[in-house]
């Protein structure tokens, strides 16, 4: 019995190594081309909803839902310090993508307002205003009335700017998650959703980092800024 | 079934269980340590460099952070330690060294993982599991899978203890043991 136990002990690692070898030999070649082509499609679009320099070494796409509490936390605790430092310093090019989840009643409406603001070059201020005041208009907030996004946007813009945004929002003021025929900005949201499906992105917030043409796996959840900074620094220090 | 056949069957079952558990831990360690941008289970994914290792472990730290279970100061050290512990446990299980103790350690780890997954699922956190590398959604299937791993851990631990007890009994009842007792 002892001899057979010894034999088993010896055979186990040998057979495992053999199996691993067979698995590695039969494994497919890396698909760098398809990842690169997806990255190219993504970075070529949505310049109005992007922050920073397009020539920055790191490109980061963030799929957000304006009503999702985790997205609010991620924006306030991580994206804000990143925008103020790494994006401002030209290290990161931040691309916003809309992914309004049907479970959030007012997220599509919020995305419409932000896209309308983006059309006149006011994406950053309106995005910041909506996240800063998420509790004032979202269904999870303690303040009333829910879903009243208009005053938040109005407060973030000059009267002339708001008038332009308001004009773009004609036919858009609805809580519906369906693409509205008369809404000029819905196509932009649909485009972002389609880009998300390519990845695929199913949760928010999701961020995708592209460095030197290589797309890294998506990160999901409200990651803290110190860890995100550590990750970005390590990427930048790579040769 | 004769006692000897039953005994052999139990030993084979324990061996299979032990190897399955070893594969779980080795795959988990590999998923966390492999270069992030390499396709999994390819030779390219074994080209680990210090910088790729650092990047992979920081990415794992971010995944760990999204669970919101550890204090901020503990996330990074924990993330940089866990993959190596998993690798060690996997190798020890594979070679069958100190089996009872390694099984206890493995089951403890699986209990912690299962608890974390249940907690996050109950909290409706839309996050990645991070269990076997990046880009792995935490959903109901994760719960079922980790539950099975947990059950396997317990079964192998019990099996390892029973086998040890049986081995000791066999040794003590052997003629040589009787002689030495005299």
């Amino acid at each position: 019995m002892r001899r057979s136990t010894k034999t088993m002990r010896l055979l186990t690692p040998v057979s495992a190594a053999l199996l691993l070898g067979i698995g590695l030999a039969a494994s497919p070649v890396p698909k760098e081309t398809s990842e690169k082509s997806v990255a190219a499609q993504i970075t070529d679009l949505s310049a109005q909803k992007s922050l920073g320099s397009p020539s920055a070494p790191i490109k980061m796409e963030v799929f957000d839902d304006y009503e999702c509490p985790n997205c609010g936390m991620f924006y306030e605790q991580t994206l804000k310090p990143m925008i103020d430092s790494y994006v401002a310093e030209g290290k990161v090019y931040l691309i916003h993508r809309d992914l309004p989840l049907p479970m959030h009643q007012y997220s599509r409406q919020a995305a419409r307002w932000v896209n309308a603001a983006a059309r006149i070059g006011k994406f950053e201020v309106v995005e910041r205003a909506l996240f800063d005041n998420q509790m004032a208009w979202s269904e999870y907030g303690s303040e009333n009335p829910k879903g009243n996004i208009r005053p938040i946007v109005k407060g973030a813009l000059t009267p002339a700017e708001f008038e332009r945004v308001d004009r773009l929002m004609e036919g858009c003021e609805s809580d519906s998650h369906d693409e509205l025929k008369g809404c000029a900005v819905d196509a932009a949201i649909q485009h972002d959703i389609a880009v998300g499906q390519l990845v695929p992105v199913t949760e928010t917030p999701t961020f995708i980092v592209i460095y030197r043409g290589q797309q890294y796996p998506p990160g999901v959840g409200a990651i803290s800024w110190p860890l995100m900074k550590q990750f970005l620094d390590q990427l930048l220090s790579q040769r | 079934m004769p006692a000897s056949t039953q005994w052999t069957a139990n030993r084979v079952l324990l061996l299979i269980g032990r190897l399955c558990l070893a594969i779980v831990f080795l795959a988990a360690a590999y998923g966390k340590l492999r270069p992030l941008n390499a396709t999994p289970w390819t030779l390219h994914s074994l080209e680990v460099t210090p910088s790729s290792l650092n990047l992979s472990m920081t990415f794992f730290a971010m995944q760990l952070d999204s669970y919101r279970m550890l204090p901020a100061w503990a996330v990074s050290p924990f993330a940089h330690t866990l993959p190596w512990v998993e690798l060690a446990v996997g190798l020890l299980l594979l070679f069958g060294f100190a089996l009872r103790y390694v099984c206890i350690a493995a089951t403890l780890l699986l209990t912690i993982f299962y608890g974390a997954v249940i907690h996050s699922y109950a909290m409706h956190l839309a996050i990645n599991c991070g269990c076997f590398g990046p880009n792995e959604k935490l959903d109901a299937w994760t719960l079922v899978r980790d539950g099975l791993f947990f059950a396997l851990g317990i079964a192998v631990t019990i099996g390892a203890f029973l086998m040890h007890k049986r081995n000791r009994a066999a040794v003590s009842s052997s003629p040589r043991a009787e002689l030495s007792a005299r």
Side-chain angles (χ1 to χ4, degrees):
Chain A
M1 188 187 295
R2 270 195 181 171
R3 191 185 294 166
S4 65
T5 316
K6 267 189 180 176
T7 319
M8 274 178 132
R9 273 195 181 175
L10 281 171
L11 278 176
T12 306
V14 174
S15 54
L18 269 173
L19 279 172
L20 183 69
I22 293 164
L24 287 173
S27 53
V29 179
K31 291 177 184 173
E32 277 185 34
T33 0
S34 65
E35 282 181 2
K36 275 184 185 171
S37 62
V38 170
Q41 280 172 27
I42 289 165
T43 45
D44 284 347
L45 300 166
S46 304
Q48 286 161 311
K49 289 192 284 182
S50 304
L51 303 173
S53 163
S55 60
I58 296 175
K59 290 180 174 59
M60 185 190 285
E61 287 181 87
V62 179
F63 290 83
D64 261 334
D65 173 317
Y66 288 104
E67 207 180 349
C68 120
N70 267 351
C71 298
M73 196 192 292
F74 185 56
Y75 182 83
E76 296 295 336
Q77 294 176 6
T78 306
L79 292 184
K80 254 189 188 176
M82 192 177 86
I83 291 166
D84 296 341
S85 55
Y86 280 44
V87 173
E89 291 160 14
K91 291 177 183 170
V92 174
Y93 181 52
L94 186 65
I95 305 156
H96 171 90
R97 300 275 179 210
D98 285 304
L99 193 71
L101 301 172
M103 69 175 87
H104 298 134
Q105 195 181 345
Y106 307 116
S107 61
R108 181 84 182 208
Q109 191 193 351
R112 286 179 182 125
W113 277 105
V114 176
N115 277 273
R119 286 250 176 139
I120 67 153
K122 288 289 161 188
F123 162 73
E124 192 179 356
V125 281
V126 173
E127 180 190 50
R128 195 167 277 224
L130 284 191
F131 275 131
D132 284 352
N133 299 287
Q134 197 187 43
M135 288 297 111
W137 60 269
S138 80
E139 59 198 295
Y140 306 103
S142 54
E143 297 169 38
N144 282 308
K146 313 285 184 209
N148 199 1
I149 298 163
R150 175 183 280 268
I152 311 279
V153 178
K154 196 174 183 177
L157 300 170
T158 64
E161 287 165 352
F162 180 72
E163 200 180 311
R164 286 174 68 195
V165 171
D166 203 27
R167 231 178 289 139
L168 283 165
M169 280 294 285
E170 275 172 22
C172 296
E173 282 204 65
S174 162
D175 296 340
S176 169
H177 274 268
D178 297 328
E179 188 178 358
L180 303 173
K181 277 185 181 173
C183 179
V185 293
D186 254 0
I189 300 169
Q190 286 306 122
H191 170 263
D192 282 0
I193 294 170
V195 171
Q197 282 168 349
L198 273 177
V199 178
V201 177
T202 50
E203 295 111 341
T204 57
T206 293
F207 60 90
I208 298 166
V209 171
I210 301 157
Y211 179 66
R212 287 183 181 166
Q214 283 207 311
Q215 188 175 312
Y216 285 82
V220 184
I223 315 296
S224 67
W225 170 234
L227 279 172
M228 179 68 86
K229 186 176 177 295
Q230 193 182 333
F231 182 70
L232 297 176
D233 285 340
Q234 282 177 2
L235 268 184
L236 289 168
S237 68
Q238 277 197 334
R239 287 180 185 176
Chain B
M1 190 188 285
S4 61
T5 317
Q6 178 71 45
W7 176 237
T8 313
N10 287 344
R11 281 178 57 219
V12 170
L13 267 179
L14 180 63
L15 175 73
I16 292 169
R18 195 189 91 203
L19 288 182
C20 288
L21 212 52
I23 289 168
V24 168
F25 276 91
L26 291 175
Y30 162 82
K32 291 173 187 101
L33 298 173
R34 73 171 174 85
L36 278 178
N37 50 7
T39 312
W41 306 109
T42 59
L43 283 173
H44 179 52
S45 74
L46 295 179
E47 291 168 15
V48 177
T49 62
S51 69
S52 82
L53 208 56
N54 257 337
L55 203 63
S56 300
M57 287 198 280
T58 306
F59 193 84
F60 174 56
M62 293 200 292
Q63 291 184 311
L64 208 60
D65 189 36
S66 65
Y67 277 84
R68 285 191 249 148
M69 289 179 80
L70 287 172
W73 59 265
V75 173
S76 201
F78 191 80
H80 282 72
T81 312
L82 184 64
W84 300 111
V85 173
E86 286 177 330
L87 183 67
V89 169
L91 287 173
L92 288 170
L93 281 168
L94 187 68
F95 287 96
F97 289 124
L99 192 59
R100 287 169 301 150
Y101 307 108
V102 177
C103 280
I104 290 174
T107 309
L108 273 175
L109 281 173
L110 290 170
T111 312
I112 295 167
F113 300 156
Y114 194 34
V117 166
I118 290 174
H119 174 264
S120 305
Y121 193 75
M123 296 272 288
H124 302 288
L125 289 181
I127 58 171
N128 273 348
C129 172
C131 316
F132 293 93
N135 212 3
E136 186 195 349
K137 194 179 167 184
L138 193 156
D139 53 17
W141 157 243
T142 318
L143 228 63
V144 174
R145 185 199 62 192
D146 281 20
L148 289 173
F149 290 161
F150 174 63
L152 177 69
I154 289 179
V156 173
T157 307
I158 292 170
F161 272 89
L162 288 177
M163 194 65 70
H164 178 75
K165 197 178 168 188
R166 181 85 190 261
N167 279 344
R168 274 183 65 182
V171 168
S172 62
S173 65
S174 69
R176 191 191 266 181
E178 277 174 26
L179 274 173
S180 62
R182 276 178 209 168

